[in-house]
Amino acid sequence: MRETPLSNCEREFIRKALGERKRLDGRQAYDYRTLKIAFGYDRGCCRVDLGQTRVLAQVSCEITSPKQQRPSDGVLFVNVELSPMASPVFEVGRMSDQGVEINRILERCLKESRCVDTESLCIIAGEKVWQIRVDVHVMNHDGNLIDCSSIAAITALAHFRRPDVTVDGTDVIVHTIEEKDPLPLSVHHMPICVSFSFYEQGKFLLVDPSDKEEKVMDGKMVIGMNKHREICSLQVTGQMLLLKDQVLRCSNIAVVKVTEITEWIQKALENDRQARSNGERFGFREAVVMDTVTTNQMNPEKLK
Amino acid sequence: MVDHAGHVYLPGELICNLKESEKTSKILVGPGLRQDEESIIVTKCGLLRFKEPNFYWIDSHLKRYVAVKGDPIIGIVAAKAGDVFRLDIGSSDLATLSYLAFEGATKRNRPDVKVGDIVYAKCMVANKDMEPELVCIDSNGRSGGLGVIGRDGGFMFQTSLNLIRKLLSSDCILLKTLGNGMHYECAIGMNGRVWVKAKSVSHTIALCNAISAAEYMSNEQIKAMCKKLTNALAGF
Amino acid sequence: MCEMMCELGQLTRCDGDACLMQGETCVTTAVYGPTEVRINKEILDKATVEVVYKSKVGLPGCAEKMFERIIRNTCETMILTTAHPRSGINIIIQEMQNSGSYLACCINSACLALLDAGVSLKFLVAAVTCLIDNEGEIILDPNSKQEKDGKALLTFVFDNKDFSIVTVNTKGSYSSQQFKDCTSLCKKSSKQVFEFYKKSMEKLLSKDNFVK
């Protein structure tokens, strides 16, 4: 499908507004949009809203044989799907350039930073290991898909519980939830990507660009970092030259943002954990705000 | 009867006992209603509206525009092809706008329109089987405000179609109240696009946000919001 | 029947969307339309209805294609396709949570999303699931645990004009008398689903009344 083209009028206005250091939604240059995290009923299912951008992530596991080079390591597989729901431009099946870029950035950020301990996923070395699969579905595209997807992916990994296994010689017994409590994944640290968009040939930068701001930008930088100030990935794209102190300034901003976001994720995980252990209701239903015109609820009467 | 008006109807429901006009015993049905043999069936979900003497239609919440003859529209020039411009108007097809449909345009004197410009035009031909056709002149050959807009600033944004109808209805005081507080220019396209231009960038941004936020507001809430806005902007 | 909750109009890019929760099962559907369609899929006198179903985990396979086919057939009867020739209506369904009565939840959320988008419809549809368990008891809106142990799972889709059957999808074996009983029970239950649609749209449009 075709996307509405960005008119010259809009492009010039946004550039002029950025020249006066003003954003369309009234944010400051380094402000993130409102971040909302909701967990589903299943373990490892979470939905993240960054402003209007919405992303759903689900973690699942299955037993497979390990890679030949690493016989005692489990496998982590990340897949980001740009669903046609998110934008009329995205198509099913074919992975566009943007899709490939997001997939690679997230793979580098999560897999190669070793945030999940893959050695603990080994069941029988050389024969059976756990394969952890993270599926990220983008549901609404309003800019900054990378940040939103990385927050969703790492939150879902921290939320997930895998079944407990016992190894009896060469037999592997997978216990159901009723037999034994499932175990959390061993997550060493939480790498989160922070995106910066550049304007005026690299002189002015914005954090968390919205869709329209992304369309007029000169270039982009994505820094994947955890709260221990370790940079896990760094990627710069676009037609501009960046000065060294710009890059350093961005990494300092990223430190602040990542600390805030990690705290927010921990709080959300804690709330969900308490709701589950106190026997309260949990799931997407609890995240719905009821007193708006757009939501409705019905308790039907019994029929017979 | 007229009691039907103001109620929500869902597709598939039949409407009966409609008031006929006294002169010709006919009932005019508009968007959202369809005649199925002897009865009138609802095809879109919305409120039933009635206008004297015998006109019924459904007012529904829509975001996607379907071209209607006579509507003023804001289109974005997507391509130039031979003698016509192809404009994106938000419907399923690109609309066409001929080079000659501008004020003072002749074969030698082509209008200065580039790809990406926004154009305020009127829809001349619109039916479901053909591409919509637009013009930038009225029947006397004058432009009357139509043509390329936005060359000298301003911002265009997209809203839902019912907000547009609300803005243009005589009951709504939003545009007037905003005009009391600041000077601005605006062009409203029936395809959900609004172009506004105010004195400065911050005024324009504030205006855009005010119009978008007014979708679900009543007149009193609109008055309160405009007052807050003008007070905040006065401090700039 | 289980508790139903819906959230409409949450996504900004699409023309209409609905997030429907039936019990713990949750499905989000987005609708784009009438919009442009590829030339090889264009139909001269009708709109082309396309359904994309995305499950949460894994790549799409045969089961997903079967789902898309069932939902597409149901939606095609529902949509007034002659009103928009040579255009396309795209329905995208995303699984959020599958805890039983899944096909019915998908069809109901597609219907709500079409309502929210304002696509011209001939009538509305409501889908109800019922389960025949091993003792021959009929259970409405089973959850996934009940579905695993049951003998037959039937999904009925009714329209709101004459309450005739639009689609039936069954899994398992049952007698024709059981089929008739399930049909009448589901028909009664579908009336509640239509009530729910009406109340939801009335709430959504409740702020409009002052505009004449």
Side-chain angles (χ1 to χ4, degrees), chain C residues 29-55:
Chain C
T29 307
V31 168
Y32 283 93
T35 178
E36 118 182 317
V37 69
R38 261 197 265 233
I39 300 188
N40 57 353
K41 296 211 183 123
E42 211 176 49
I43 305 178
L44 286 179
D45 58 346
K46 290 200 302 189
T48 314
V49 178
E50 272 185 28
V51 174
V52 174
Y53 167 70
K54 300 211 128 235
S55 61

PDB file of all heavy atoms in Angstrom, chain C residues 29-55:
ATOM      1  N   THR C  29      -7.633  -6.306  16.444  1.00  0.00           N
ATOM      2  CA  THR C  29      -7.828  -6.289  14.992  1.00  0.00           C
ATOM      3  C   THR C  29      -7.753  -4.864  14.495  1.00  0.00           C
ATOM      4  O   THR C  29      -8.292  -3.957  15.117  1.00  0.00           O
ATOM      5  CB  THR C  29      -9.219  -6.848  14.645  1.00  0.00           C
ATOM      6  OG1 THR C  29      -9.368  -8.099  15.263  1.00  0.00           O
ATOM      7  CG2 THR C  29      -9.366  -7.017  13.151  1.00  0.00           C
ATOM      8  N   ALA C  30      -7.077  -4.668  13.343  1.00  0.00           N
ATOM      9  CA  ALA C  30      -7.023  -3.338  12.731  1.00  0.00           C
ATOM     10  C   ALA C  30      -7.600  -3.455  11.328  1.00  0.00           C
ATOM     11  O   ALA C  30      -7.423  -4.470  10.668  1.00  0.00           O
ATOM     12  CB  ALA C  30      -5.583  -2.856  12.658  1.00  0.00           C
ATOM     13  N   VAL C  31      -8.300  -2.404  10.886  1.00  0.00           N
ATOM     14  CA  VAL C  31      -8.903  -2.403   9.553  1.00  0.00           C
ATOM     15  C   VAL C  31      -8.398  -1.196   8.778  1.00  0.00           C
ATOM     16  O   VAL C  31      -8.364  -0.078   9.305  1.00  0.00           O
ATOM     17  CB  VAL C  31     -10.446  -2.335   9.661  1.00  0.00           C
ATOM     18  CG1 VAL C  31     -11.074  -2.047   8.319  1.00  0.00           C
ATOM     19  CG2 VAL C  31     -10.986  -3.630  10.209  1.00  0.00           C
ATOM     20  N   TYR C  32      -7.975  -1.416   7.549  1.00  0.00           N
ATOM     21  CA  TYR C  32      -7.639  -0.309   6.646  1.00  0.00           C
ATOM     22  C   TYR C  32      -8.615  -0.404   5.490  1.00  0.00           C
ATOM     23  O   TYR C  32      -8.696  -1.425   4.828  1.00  0.00           O
ATOM     24  CB  TYR C  32      -6.234  -0.502   6.069  1.00  0.00           C
ATOM     25  CG  TYR C  32      -5.116  -0.162   7.007  1.00  0.00           C
ATOM     26  CD1 TYR C  32      -4.543  -1.135   7.808  1.00  0.00           C
ATOM     27  CD2 TYR C  32      -4.599   1.123   7.068  1.00  0.00           C
ATOM     28  CE1 TYR C  32      -3.497  -0.823   8.657  1.00  0.00           C
ATOM     29  CE2 TYR C  32      -3.551   1.442   7.910  1.00  0.00           C
ATOM     30  CZ  TYR C  32      -3.005   0.457   8.701  1.00  0.00           C
ATOM     31  OH  TYR C  32      -1.963   0.763   9.534  1.00  0.00           O
ATOM     32  N   GLY C  33      -9.369   0.669   5.213  1.00  0.00           N
ATOM     33  CA  GLY C  33     -10.197   0.571   4.022  1.00  0.00           C
ATOM     34  C   GLY C  33     -11.258   1.632   3.949  1.00  0.00           C
ATOM     35  O   GLY C  33     -11.608   2.208   4.970  1.00  0.00           O
ATOM     36  N   PRO C  34     -11.786   1.895   2.772  1.00  0.00           N
ATOM     37  CA  PRO C  34     -11.340   1.350   1.487  1.00  0.00           C
ATOM     38  C   PRO C  34     -10.027   2.007   1.055  1.00  0.00           C
ATOM     39  O   PRO C  34      -9.882   3.216   1.115  1.00  0.00           O
ATOM     40  CB  PRO C  34     -12.452   1.740   0.514  1.00  0.00           C
ATOM     41  CG  PRO C  34     -13.347   2.655   1.238  1.00  0.00           C
ATOM     42  CD  PRO C  34     -12.974   2.717   2.665  1.00  0.00           C
ATOM     43  N   THR C  35      -9.073   1.180   0.629  1.00  0.00           N
ATOM     44  CA  THR C  35      -7.764   1.716   0.324  1.00  0.00           C
ATOM     45  C   THR C  35      -7.288   1.147  -1.006  1.00  0.00           C
ATOM     46  O   THR C  35      -8.002   0.396  -1.638  1.00  0.00           O
ATOM     47  CB  THR C  35      -6.790   1.341   1.453  1.00  0.00           C
ATOM     48  OG1 THR C  35      -5.499   1.821   1.122  1.00  0.00           O
ATOM     49  CG2 THR C  35      -6.707  -0.149   1.613  1.00  0.00           C
ATOM     50  N   GLU C  36      -6.066   1.487  -1.400  1.00  0.00           N
ATOM     51  CA  GLU C  36      -5.636   1.067  -2.718  1.00  0.00           C
ATOM     52  C   GLU C  36      -5.287  -0.420  -2.695  1.00  0.00           C
ATOM     53  O   GLU C  36      -4.928  -0.973  -1.656  1.00  0.00           O
ATOM     54  CB  GLU C  36      -4.466   1.933  -3.156  1.00  0.00           C
ATOM     55  CG  GLU C  36      -3.202   1.222  -3.402  1.00  0.00           C
ATOM     56  CD  GLU C  36      -2.065   2.104  -3.792  1.00  0.00           C
ATOM     57  OE1 GLU C  36      -2.254   3.016  -4.613  1.00  0.00           O
ATOM     58  OE2 GLU C  36      -0.988   1.876  -3.267  1.00  0.00           O
ATOM     59  N   VAL C  37      -5.457  -1.072  -3.841  1.00  0.00           N
ATOM     60  CA  VAL C  37      -5.221  -2.501  -3.915  1.00  0.00           C
ATOM     61  C   VAL C  37      -4.321  -2.767  -5.107  1.00  0.00           C
ATOM     62  O   VAL C  37      -4.320  -2.005  -6.074  1.00  0.00           O
ATOM     63  CB  VAL C  37      -6.568  -3.261  -4.027  1.00  0.00           C
ATOM     64  CG1 VAL C  37      -7.221  -3.017  -5.355  1.00  0.00           C
ATOM     65  CG2 VAL C  37      -6.382  -4.722  -3.771  1.00  0.00           C
ATOM     66  N   ARG C  38      -3.540  -3.827  -5.045  1.00  0.00           N
ATOM     67  CA  ARG C  38      -2.626  -4.140  -6.154  1.00  0.00           C
ATOM     68  C   ARG C  38      -3.416  -4.485  -7.393  1.00  0.00           C
ATOM     69  O   ARG C  38      -4.464  -5.104  -7.315  1.00  0.00           O
ATOM     70  CB  ARG C  38      -1.765  -5.330  -5.777  1.00  0.00           C
ATOM     71  CG  ARG C  38      -0.414  -4.917  -5.299  1.00  0.00           C
ATOM     72  CD  ARG C  38       0.478  -6.085  -5.351  1.00  0.00           C
ATOM     73  NE  ARG C  38       0.487  -6.711  -4.043  1.00  0.00           N
ATOM     74  CZ  ARG C  38       1.593  -6.983  -3.378  1.00  0.00           C
ATOM     75  NH1 ARG C  38       2.726  -6.673  -3.890  1.00  0.00           N
ATOM     76  NH2 ARG C  38       1.550  -7.556  -2.220  1.00  0.00           N
ATOM     77  N   ILE C  39      -2.887  -4.150  -8.549  1.00  0.00           N
ATOM     78  CA  ILE C  39      -3.643  -4.317  -9.800  1.00  0.00           C
ATOM     79  C   ILE C  39      -3.991  -5.773 -10.042  1.00  0.00           C
ATOM     80  O   ILE C  39      -5.076  -6.087 -10.539  1.00  0.00           O
ATOM     81  CB  ILE C  39      -2.848  -3.734 -10.981  1.00  0.00           C
ATOM     82  CG1 ILE C  39      -2.599  -2.270 -10.729  1.00  0.00           C
ATOM     83  CG2 ILE C  39      -3.608  -3.931 -12.274  1.00  0.00           C
ATOM     84  CD1 ILE C  39      -1.993  -1.540 -11.880  1.00  0.00           C
ATOM     85  N   ASN C  40      -3.107  -6.697  -9.655  1.00  0.00           N
ATOM     86  CA  ASN C  40      -3.438  -8.102  -9.926  1.00  0.00           C
ATOM     87  C   ASN C  40      -4.505  -8.643  -8.985  1.00  0.00           C
ATOM     88  O   ASN C  40      -5.050  -9.709  -9.198  1.00  0.00           O
ATOM     89  CB  ASN C  40      -2.176  -8.975  -9.876  1.00  0.00           C
ATOM     90  CG  ASN C  40      -1.452  -8.858  -8.549  1.00  0.00           C
ATOM     91  OD1 ASN C  40      -1.812  -8.036  -7.714  1.00  0.00           O
ATOM     92  ND2 ASN C  40      -0.432  -9.660  -8.346  1.00  0.00           N
ATOM     93  N   LYS C  41      -4.822  -7.883  -7.927  1.00  0.00           N
ATOM     94  CA  LYS C  41      -5.870  -8.371  -7.018  1.00  0.00           C
ATOM     95  C   LYS C  41      -7.152  -7.565  -7.170  1.00  0.00           C
ATOM     96  O   LYS C  41      -8.122  -7.778  -6.458  1.00  0.00           O
ATOM     97  CB  LYS C  41      -5.399  -8.241  -5.565  1.00  0.00           C
ATOM     98  CG  LYS C  41      -4.231  -9.095  -5.255  1.00  0.00           C
ATOM     99  CD  LYS C  41      -4.239  -9.546  -3.813  1.00  0.00           C
ATOM    100  CE  LYS C  41      -3.000 -10.335  -3.528  1.00  0.00           C
ATOM    101  NZ  LYS C  41      -2.225  -9.799  -2.460  1.00  0.00           N
ATOM    102  N   GLU C  42      -7.150  -6.603  -8.093  1.00  0.00           N
ATOM    103  CA  GLU C  42      -8.290  -5.691  -8.223  1.00  0.00           C
ATOM    104  C   GLU C  42      -9.492  -6.425  -8.791  1.00  0.00           C
ATOM    105  O   GLU C  42      -9.360  -7.218  -9.712  1.00  0.00           O
ATOM    106  CB  GLU C  42      -7.875  -4.618  -9.223  1.00  0.00           C
ATOM    107  CG  GLU C  42      -8.467  -3.275  -9.014  1.00  0.00           C
ATOM    108  CD  GLU C  42      -7.894  -2.285 -10.010  1.00  0.00           C
ATOM    109  OE1 GLU C  42      -7.862  -2.606 -11.215  1.00  0.00           O
ATOM    110  OE2 GLU C  42      -7.487  -1.209  -9.574  1.00  0.00           O
ATOM    111  N   ILE C  43     -10.687  -6.143  -8.267  1.00  0.00           N
ATOM    112  CA  ILE C  43     -11.918  -6.683  -8.849  1.00  0.00           C
ATOM    113  C   ILE C  43     -12.707  -5.494  -9.349  1.00  0.00           C
ATOM    114  O   ILE C  43     -12.855  -4.500  -8.648  1.00  0.00           O
ATOM    115  CB  ILE C  43     -12.753  -7.430  -7.786  1.00  0.00           C
ATOM    116  CG1 ILE C  43     -11.906  -8.498  -7.118  1.00  0.00           C
ATOM    117  CG2 ILE C  43     -13.969  -8.071  -8.423  1.00  0.00           C
ATOM    118  CD1 ILE C  43     -12.642  -9.230  -6.036  1.00  0.00           C
ATOM    119  N   LEU C  44     -13.246  -5.591 -10.587  1.00  0.00           N
ATOM    120  CA  LEU C  44     -13.812  -4.405 -11.223  1.00  0.00           C
ATOM    121  C   LEU C  44     -15.041  -3.852 -10.537  1.00  0.00           C
ATOM    122  O   LEU C  44     -15.279  -2.661 -10.546  1.00  0.00           O
ATOM    123  CB  LEU C  44     -14.166  -4.708 -12.676  1.00  0.00           C
ATOM    124  CG  LEU C  44     -12.968  -4.801 -13.595  1.00  0.00           C
ATOM    125  CD1 LEU C  44     -13.426  -5.125 -14.990  1.00  0.00           C
ATOM    126  CD2 LEU C  44     -12.223  -3.476 -13.600  1.00  0.00           C
ATOM    127  N   ASP C  45     -15.866  -4.737  -9.958  1.00  0.00           N
ATOM    128  CA  ASP C  45     -17.116  -4.201  -9.419  1.00  0.00           C
ATOM    129  C   ASP C  45     -17.250  -4.383  -7.914  1.00  0.00           C
ATOM    130  O   ASP C  45     -18.271  -4.056  -7.338  1.00  0.00           O
ATOM    131  CB  ASP C  45     -18.302  -4.864 -10.112  1.00  0.00           C
ATOM    132  CG  ASP C  45     -18.247  -6.375  -9.940  1.00  0.00           C
ATOM    133  OD1 ASP C  45     -17.180  -6.888  -9.541  1.00  0.00           O
ATOM    134  OD2 ASP C  45     -19.260  -7.040 -10.205  1.00  0.00           O
ATOM    135  N   LYS C  46     -16.220  -4.936  -7.264  1.00  0.00           N
ATOM    136  CA  LYS C  46     -16.333  -5.144  -5.817  1.00  0.00           C
ATOM    137  C   LYS C  46     -15.031  -4.766  -5.139  1.00  0.00           C
ATOM    138  O   LYS C  46     -13.990  -4.643  -5.775  1.00  0.00           O
ATOM    139  CB  LYS C  46     -16.575  -6.635  -5.511  1.00  0.00           C
ATOM    140  CG  LYS C  46     -17.924  -7.111  -5.923  1.00  0.00           C
ATOM    141  CD  LYS C  46     -18.344  -8.367  -5.221  1.00  0.00           C
ATOM    142  CE  LYS C  46     -17.397  -9.506  -5.414  1.00  0.00           C
ATOM    143  NZ  LYS C  46     -17.975 -10.736  -4.894  1.00  0.00           N
ATOM    144  N   ALA C  47     -15.093  -4.627  -3.827  1.00  0.00           N
ATOM    145  CA  ALA C  47     -13.870  -4.396  -3.065  1.00  0.00           C
ATOM    146  C   ALA C  47     -13.203  -5.738  -2.794  1.00  0.00           C
ATOM    147  O   ALA C  47     -13.879  -6.750  -2.660  1.00  0.00           O
ATOM    148  CB  ALA C  47     -14.210  -3.711  -1.749  1.00  0.00           C
ATOM    149  N   THR C  48     -11.881  -5.744  -2.727  1.00  0.00           N
ATOM    150  CA  THR C  48     -11.148  -6.974  -2.410  1.00  0.00           C
ATOM    151  C   THR C  48     -10.922  -7.014  -0.911  1.00  0.00           C
ATOM    152  O   THR C  48     -10.335  -6.106  -0.341  1.00  0.00           O
ATOM    153  CB  THR C  48      -9.767  -6.939  -3.106  1.00  0.00           C
ATOM    154  OG1 THR C  48      -9.948  -6.527  -4.440  1.00  0.00           O
ATOM    155  CG2 THR C  48      -9.116  -8.292  -3.077  1.00  0.00           C
ATOM    156  N   VAL C  49     -11.394  -8.070  -0.263  1.00  0.00           N
ATOM    157  CA  VAL C  49     -11.223  -8.182   1.187  1.00  0.00           C
ATOM    158  C   VAL C  49     -10.029  -9.087   1.453  1.00  0.00           C
ATOM    159  O   VAL C  49      -9.974 -10.202   0.963  1.00  0.00           O
ATOM    160  CB  VAL C  49     -12.489  -8.793   1.831  1.00  0.00           C
ATOM    161  CG1 VAL C  49     -12.295  -8.950   3.321  1.00  0.00           C
ATOM    162  CG2 VAL C  49     -13.691  -7.928   1.540  1.00  0.00           C
ATOM    163  N   GLU C  50      -9.070  -8.581   2.229  1.00  0.00           N
ATOM    164  CA  GLU C  50      -7.896  -9.404   2.554  1.00  0.00           C
ATOM    165  C   GLU C  50      -7.773  -9.485   4.048  1.00  0.00           C
ATOM    166  O   GLU C  50      -7.916  -8.486   4.743  1.00  0.00           O
ATOM    167  CB  GLU C  50      -6.634  -8.745   2.000  1.00  0.00           C
ATOM    168  CG  GLU C  50      -6.350  -9.164   0.602  1.00  0.00           C
ATOM    169  CD  GLU C  50      -5.036  -8.593   0.099  1.00  0.00           C
ATOM    170  OE1 GLU C  50      -4.124  -8.341   0.920  1.00  0.00           O
ATOM    171  OE2 GLU C  50      -4.955  -8.398  -1.101  1.00  0.00           O
ATOM    172  N   VAL C  51      -7.459 -10.688   4.539  1.00  0.00           N
ATOM    173  CA  VAL C  51      -7.299 -10.867   5.977  1.00  0.00           C
ATOM    174  C   VAL C  51      -5.887 -11.365   6.232  1.00  0.00           C
ATOM    175  O   VAL C  51      -5.414 -12.270   5.561  1.00  0.00           O
ATOM    176  CB  VAL C  51      -8.316 -11.893   6.518  1.00  0.00           C
ATOM    177  CG1 VAL C  51      -8.060 -12.177   7.981  1.00  0.00           C
ATOM    178  CG2 VAL C  51      -9.719 -11.381   6.328  1.00  0.00           C
ATOM    179  N   VAL C  52      -5.208 -10.756   7.186  1.00  0.00           N
ATOM    180  CA  VAL C  52      -3.892 -11.236   7.600  1.00  0.00           C
ATOM    181  C   VAL C  52      -4.001 -11.603   9.065  1.00  0.00           C
ATOM    182  O   VAL C  52      -4.434 -10.792   9.874  1.00  0.00           O
ATOM    183  CB  VAL C  52      -2.829 -10.132   7.431  1.00  0.00           C
ATOM    184  CG1 VAL C  52      -1.501 -10.596   8.002  1.00  0.00           C
ATOM    185  CG2 VAL C  52      -2.663  -9.771   5.976  1.00  0.00           C
ATOM    186  N   TYR C  53      -3.617 -12.817   9.399  1.00  0.00           N
ATOM    187  CA  TYR C  53      -3.685 -13.228  10.798  1.00  0.00           C
ATOM    188  C   TYR C  53      -2.265 -13.454  11.288  1.00  0.00           C
ATOM    189  O   TYR C  53      -1.478 -14.129  10.638  1.00  0.00           O
ATOM    190  CB  TYR C  53      -4.505 -14.521  10.922  1.00  0.00           C
ATOM    191  CG  TYR C  53      -4.357 -15.164  12.272  1.00  0.00           C
ATOM    192  CD1 TYR C  53      -4.911 -14.569  13.399  1.00  0.00           C
ATOM    193  CD2 TYR C  53      -3.629 -16.328  12.441  1.00  0.00           C
ATOM    194  CE1 TYR C  53      -4.750 -15.120  14.641  1.00  0.00           C
ATOM    195  CE2 TYR C  53      -3.464 -16.894  13.688  1.00  0.00           C
ATOM    196  CZ  TYR C  53      -4.026 -16.284  14.783  1.00  0.00           C
ATOM    197  OH  TYR C  53      -3.857 -16.828  16.017  1.00  0.00           O
ATOM    198  N   LYS C  54      -1.927 -12.863  12.427  1.00  0.00           N
ATOM    199  CA  LYS C  54      -0.576 -13.043  12.952  1.00  0.00           C
ATOM    200  C   LYS C  54      -0.655 -13.687  14.318  1.00  0.00           C
ATOM    201  O   LYS C  54      -1.239 -13.123  15.249  1.00  0.00           O
ATOM    202  CB  LYS C  54       0.117 -11.688  13.091  1.00  0.00           C
ATOM    203  CG  LYS C  54       0.225 -10.963  11.790  1.00  0.00           C
ATOM    204  CD  LYS C  54       1.453 -10.099  11.729  1.00  0.00           C
ATOM    205  CE  LYS C  54       2.200 -10.427  10.489  1.00  0.00           C
ATOM    206  NZ  LYS C  54       3.520 -10.787  10.545  1.00  0.00           N
ATOM    207  N   SER C  55      -0.047 -14.879  14.422  1.00  0.00           N
ATOM    208  CA  SER C  55      -0.036 -15.493  15.747  1.00  0.00           C
ATOM    209  C   SER C  55       1.149 -14.935  16.509  1.00  0.00           C
ATOM    210  O   SER C  55       2.081 -14.383  15.928  1.00  0.00           O
ATOM    211  CB  SER C  55       0.068 -17.009  15.628  1.00  0.00           C
ATOM    212  OG  SER C  55       1.268 -17.331  14.991  1.00  0.00           O
TER     213      SER C  55
END
